Amino acid sequence: KAGVTQTPRYLIKTRGQQVTLSCSPISGHRSVSWYQQTPGQGLQFLFEYFSETQRNKGNFPGRFSGRQFSNSRSEMNVSTLELGDSALYLCASSLATLGNTIYFGEGSWLTVV
Amino acid sequence: EDQVTQSPEALRLQEGESSSLNCSYTVSGLRGLFWYRQDPGKGPEFLFTLYSAGEEKEKERLKATLTKKESFLHITAPKPEDSATYLCAVQAPNSGGGADGLTFGKGTHLIIQP
């Protein structure tokens, strides 16, 4: 059974640019959530999508956005990149039922220079 | 104020030396408490979910327990391959992750020396 797949794994961007990260959840999983991980702040919740609707949002500026498609695949976008956006971005998926397990992908490493 | 606090931040043990990691939480309406293991450069690997006080789960050398205020991850006779960062997270409506996301602690970096 394939796990959560994230692309690209590594990327380098310049300040002011924008970036789009992609996530394919485990087959059958309808909930996809995104997290940012940095050495200083640890893992922080960005947002969660279910059936193409954003249900929850963390405390991040509007430059961070996401969407989910009808096949449950999801993308997140960061516009006007800042140096502080350098981080590991993790996607997680679940069945979204009570008692569900939340599985993570390997992440996308973003470096902003 | 942190809603999930893990201690210690780092722990170094000898192979075979059992110990416990702590995760205390202050959220209400807990839907689930999750434990993950994370190796350097990789995504978190799911270990356990606990739902109610008094619940316990075991997997190989690991055992997780839950009370109304904290969870413990007990490691019995650890081996070097158990070295990793162990992350605790809660799922609760009034937490940073909302009802469907996870709010994580900062993790415990565990090193098992041969």
Side-chain angles (χ1 to χ4, degrees), chain A residues 9-10 31 33 35 37 39-45 48 55-59 88 90 96-107 109, chain B residues 31-32 34 36 38-49 51 57 85 87 91 93 95-106:
Chain A
R9 286 297 320 278
Y10 306 92
S31 170
S33 50
Y35 297 81
Q37 187 173 29
Q41 297 300 317
L43 263 156
Q44 292 184 289
F45 173 74
E48 188 262 351
R55 296 195 298 185
N56 298 279
K57 189 177 190 300
N59 189 25
L88 176 65
L90 290 159
T97 55
L98 195 62
N100 70 97
T101 297
I102 299 174
Y103 297 95
F104 282 82
E106 295 292 356
W109 286 93
Chain B
R31 293 185 67 185
F34 297 71
Y36 289 88
Q38 188 175 27
D39 294 303
K42 296 198 169 185
E45 175 189 343
F46 173 78
L47 293 174
F48 305 106
T49 310
Y51 299 99
K57 288 191 177 175
T85 295
L87 296 164
Q91 192 179 45
S95 69
D100 303 290
L102 296 175
T103 301
F104 280 86
K106 295 287 175 64

Side-chain angles (χ1 to χ4, degrees), chain B residues 12-81:
Chain B
R12 188 183 297 265
L13 300 172
Q14 292 296 124
E15 184 173 1
E17 181 184 1
S18 302
S19 187
S20 296
L21 312 182
N22 178 263
C23 171
S24 63
Y25 61 95
T26 58
V27 300
S28 58
L30 183 73
R31 293 185 67 185
L33 186 139
F34 297 71
W35 282 99
Y36 289 88
R37 167 196 171 125
Q38 188 175 27
D39 294 303
K42 296 198 169 185
E45 175 189 343
F46 173 78
L47 293 174
F48 305 106
T49 310
L50 302 168
Y51 299 99
S52 57
E55 189 174 1
E56 299 182 351
K57 288 191 177 175
E58 287 189 67
K59 178 182 178 180
E60 296 180 358
R61 296 177 292 280
L62 300 176
K63 178 180 177 180
T65 62
L66 181 65
T67 72
K68 289 187 178 180
K69 294 183 178 181
E70 58 191 349
S71 176
F72 291 94
L73 185 64
H74 306 279
I75 302 178
T76 302
K79 299 181 179 182
E81 53 262 41

Side-chain angles (χ1 to χ4, degrees), chain A residues 3 8 14 24 54 96 113:
Chain A
T14 304
S24 293
Q54 186 182 92
V113 297

Side-chain angles (χ1 to χ4, degrees), chain A residues 37-86:
Chain A
Q37 187 173 29
T38 59
Q41 297 300 317
L43 263 156
Q44 292 184 289
F45 173 74
L46 281 159
F47 29 66
E48 188 262 351
Y49 287 87
F50 179 81
S51 292
E52 302 178 64
T53 300
Q54 186 182 92
R55 296 195 298 185
N56 298 279
K57 189 177 190 300
N59 189 25
F60 279 82
R63 300 185 296 108
F64 292 81
S65 63
R67 59 178 176 168
Q68 186 180 34
F69 303 97
S70 58
N71 61 359
S72 293
R73 192 176 67 84
S74 177
E75 290 180 347
M76 68 162 284
N77 182 276
V78 187
S79 62
T80 319
L81 284 165
E82 300 176 0
L83 295 179
D85 296 333
S86 296

